[in-house]
Amino acid sequence: MVQQSSVELREKTGVLFAILEHCNVPLLIFSAGIGDLIKEVLNQKCTFNKFSPGQPMIVANYLKFDEKGALKGFAKELIHTFNKHEVFSHHQTDYFIKHEGRRNVLLMGDMMGDLRMADEMKTKENVLTIGFLNSKVEVCFPQYRDSFDIVLIDDQSHDIPIAIVEAVVQSKSPSA
């Protein structure tokens, strides 16, 4: 199904994932989409797939099937763009415990509600937000500009996030 679909990942998704993995940076994909489908798209379409165990962490809406394979509904509480900040904190506390020493967050989203995804992360000190604005640019740009730290308009690549991660990693290296 995924192979025949027109679904695409942003350009250089595999490059970004490889850098994060190499630098031991946890990757959390938090989506109001279908988790089963997200996993399969990553498996089939991402150029990087050599993750450490538990990486990437995908929090999304997973489907529940009966013993005959018929769809019964969703496995847990339905996630949508306006409840992401609430749902993640009480469903994935192990994730926060495992990464409680992490203080910096690079939050990327394409909806205004995505800005609140890290609200319940208790240990965050620095949150850099990137908004991907892909439609209704004239109407939505003022709100995105006033809300996100960086707004990328109709940008289908991860060039900017890659540059940011590389700059942070380089500044942390002993030779910097």
Side-chain angles (χ1 to χ4, degrees):
M1 180 170 87
V2 171
Q3 286 295 357
Q4 289 84 16
S5 75
S6 62
V7 68
E8 293 182 21
L9 297 172
R10 290 188 192 280
E11 194 176 304
K12 298 187 182 174
T13 295
V15 174
L16 177 61
F17 287 5
I19 294 167
L20 296 173
E21 178 68 21
H22 177 75
C23 297
N24 197 30
V25 174
L27 173 59
L28 169 65
I29 299 171
F30 195 13
S31 175
I34 305 298
D36 312 79
L37 185 58
I38 293 167
K39 276 185 164 182
E40 197 55 35
V41 167
L42 290 177
N43 286 338
Q44 292 187 32
K45 301 234 176 183
C46 188
T47 58
F48 179 79
N49 60 5
K50 296 178 176 134
F51 290 103
S52 301
Q55 284 280 85
M57 167 73 140
I58 301 173
V59 176
N61 295 306
Y62 285 90
L63 302 174
K64 183 169 77 174
F65 298 91
D66 67 16
E67 59 281 345
K68 295 178 184 175
L71 179 62
K72 298 300 283 183
F74 291 103
K76 292 186 177 180
E77 177 182 357
L78 188 64
I79 299 170
H80 53 79
T81 192
F82 300 109
N83 74 347
K84 284 182 178 179
H85 65 288
E86 298 166 353
V87 172
F88 184 70
S89 65
H90 63 267
H91 282 282
Q92 302 297 333
T93 54
D94 290 348
Y95 183 85
F96 285 130
I97 291 168
K98 181 177 179 183
H99 301 296
E100 67 185 349
R102 303 283 180 160
R103 303 282 185 249
N104 302 313
V105 175
L106 176 59
L107 187 151
M108 300 185 290
D110 59 4
M111 303 284 290
M112 291 300 299
D114 291 340
L115 285 163
R116 299 196 56 208
M117 289 188 292
D119 282 2
E120 296 297 319
M121 188 176 167
K122 307 272 188 267
T123 61
K124 70 183 180 299
E125 292 176 6
N126 305 297
V127 179
L128 178 65
T129 60
I130 298 176
F132 291 97
L133 180 55
N134 301 313
S135 62
K136 300 181 184 175
V137 174
E138 296 80 22
V139 173
C140 297
F141 179 70
Q143 187 178 19
Y144 272 63
R145 177 197 58 218
D146 294 343
S147 302
F148 286 94
D149 298 313
I150 298 170
V151 179
L152 302 177
I153 297 173
D154 201 25
D155 186 343
Q156 300 306 314
S157 79
H158 279 300
D159 288 334
I160 299 299
I162 288 169
I164 292 168
V165 170
E166 287 177 335
V168 169
V169 168
Q170 188 175 30
S171 73
K172 298 261 183 206
S173 70
S175 61

